[in-house]
């Protein structure tokens, strides 16, 4: 089992990003068995799925987490960077995607939100003049028809697209037709084609090779990535339990 590749196609990196992977997603997209994955100290098993312990939250919003994870997994063949918004005001999408020079606000719909809830959400997007909104939905034709109407009624200034989850594999090439102007959503920004990569350990800048060494020895773990002012920042945190175990082993060997 390799859980320290620190790439979007690594199962633990994916779990650190979306916080959930079903057994089927884990085996289909990462060729990892649940038994192997459960050896990692920062995961737990609940309702036939792998969860990141620090973001478990009692297992709430399971359907929504499953859909977000499915979209993340289906986007793996494409050079899409999945980031988390940090907005104090305005829309709070499920993710902010960077696809080349394009900024895409991602919303997952499991069919549970009402018309009124979507109206409230879309009011926030009406304030934006750059970027694009991408809604990926589960459900049948009736749900998709209703979502299509609600999105059209909002008269958004930005481009938008509604996609059934089963069609996600064909989506990225068509998304480039949406507006590509860079946008800054109070901290969630698009990244240029060439960007500087910065490694941070517990919030402090660190040498990339030193961080990779800690991850390989399971003394640190990835937390996620964000795009800020043209920089791709890779966040890591120390693993206190592993550090304590290493200290105890060293102490009692001497």
């Amino acid at each position: 089992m390799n859980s320290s590749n620190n790439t979007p196609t690594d199962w633990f990196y994916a779990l650190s990003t979306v916080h959930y992977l079903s057994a089927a997603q884990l085996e289909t997209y990462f060729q990892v068995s649940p038994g192997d994955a459960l050896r990692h100290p920062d995961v737990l098993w609940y309702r036939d799925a792998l969860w990141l312990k620090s973001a478990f939250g009692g297992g709430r919003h399971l359907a929504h987490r499953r859909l977000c994870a499915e979209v993340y997994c289906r986007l793996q063949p494409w050079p899409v960077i999945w980031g988390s918004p940090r907005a104090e005001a305005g829309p709070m999408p499920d993710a902010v995607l960077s696809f080349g020079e394009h900024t895409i606000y991602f919303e997952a719909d499991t069919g549970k939100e009402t018309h009124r809830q979507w109206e409230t959400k879309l009011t926030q997007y009406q304030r934006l003049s750059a970027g694009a909104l991408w809604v990926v939905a589960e459900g049948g034709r009736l749900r998709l028809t209703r979502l299509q109407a609600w999105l059209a009624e909002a008269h958004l200034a930005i481009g938008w697209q509604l996609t059934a989850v089963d069609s996600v594999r064909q989506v990225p090439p068509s998304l480039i037709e949406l507006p590509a102007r860079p946008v800054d959503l109070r901290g969630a920004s698009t990244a240029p084609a060439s960007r500087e990569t910065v490694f941070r350990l517990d919030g402090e800048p660190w040498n990339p090779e030193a961080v990779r060494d800690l991850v390989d020895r399971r003394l640190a773990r990835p937390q996620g990535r964000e795009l800020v002012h043209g920089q791709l920042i890779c966040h890591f945190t120390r693993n206190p339990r592993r550090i304590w175990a290493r200290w105890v082993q060293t102490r009692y060997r001497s």
Side-chain angles (χ1 to χ4, degrees):
M1 179 186 65
N2 185 352
S3 60
S4 59
N5 292 335
N6 188 34
T7 67
T9 54
D10 170 55
W11 73 265
F12 187 68
Y13 185 91
L15 188 69
S16 298
T17 303
V18 294
H19 306 157
Y20 169 102
L21 287 172
S22 70
Q25 290 166 345
L26 190 65
E27 294 178 334
T28 300
Y29 297 107
F30 303 99
Q31 293 76 54
V32 174
S33 69
D36 286 339
L38 282 171
R39 297 175 190 171
H40 198 287
D42 299 314
V43 308
L44 59 84
W45 190 254
Y46 177 72
R47 298 189 67 175
D48 202 31
L50 200 66
W51 301 68
L52 189 68
K53 282 184 180 179
S54 61
F56 177 58
R60 292 188 296 273
H61 310 299
L62 187 151
H64 188 265
R65 294 193 194 212
R66 184 188 296 119
L67 178 54
C68 288
E70 184 65 23
V71 174
Y72 176 95
C73 291
R74 287 175 178 246
L75 288 178
Q76 282 190 100
W78 303 97
V80 176
I81 296 175
W82 185 289
S84 300
R86 297 188 308 165
E88 298 175 358
M92 283 293 291
D94 293 313
V96 177
L97 312 184
S98 177
F99 183 57
E101 296 183 354
H102 303 257
T103 297
I104 301 164
Y105 303 103
F106 167 71
E107 293 280 0
D109 178 83
T110 60
K112 296 180 180 180
E113 289 183 298
T114 65
H115 185 192
R116 181 172 296 236
Q117 288 174 311
W118 264 103
E119 280 185 325
T120 301
K121 180 181 296 187
L122 290 172
T123 297
Q124 301 297 320
Y125 284 102
Q126 288 171 340
R127 303 173 185 175
L128 298 182
S129 59
L133 171 62
W134 183 32
V135 180
V136 176
E138 292 179 325
R141 180 176 299 178
L142 179 58
R143 180 62 178 181
L144 290 171
T145 300
R146 286 175 175 170
L147 280 172
Q148 185 86 12
W150 298 345
L151 286 160
E153 291 168 0
H155 299 293
L156 301 179
I158 61 174
W160 59 269
Q161 183 167 299
L162 171 64
T163 306
V165 64
D166 290 340
S167 300
V168 167
R169 291 187 189 279
Q170 288 75 43
V171 166
S174 62
L175 278 177
I176 65 175
E177 299 172 3
L178 296 174
R181 292 169 292 175
V183 62
D184 189 342
L185 185 59
R186 297 184 184 272
S189 60
T190 186
S194 62
R195 59 177 66 89
E196 178 187 7
T197 300
V198 176
F199 282 60
R200 289 184 177 271
L201 180 64
D202 292 330
E204 298 295 328
W206 267 65
N207 179 279
E209 292 304 319
V211 173
R212 291 191 183 98
D213 178 64
L214 291 174
V215 171
D216 288 340
R217 290 187 289 145
R218 292 195 178 180
L219 297 177
R221 63 181 186 273
Q223 278 194 311
R225 297 185 300 179
E226 64 176 336
L227 297 169
V228 179
H229 304 306
Q231 284 186 332
L232 175 58
I233 303 177
C234 301
H235 291 280
F236 296 81
T237 186
R238 290 179 177 86
N239 189 338
R241 284 170 293 180
R242 297 290 297 186
I243 294 173
W244 170 256
R246 183 64 58 85
W247 180 84
V248 170
Q249 292 171 5
T250 303
R251 178 181 178 85
Y252 283 91
R253 281 175 184 167
S254 58

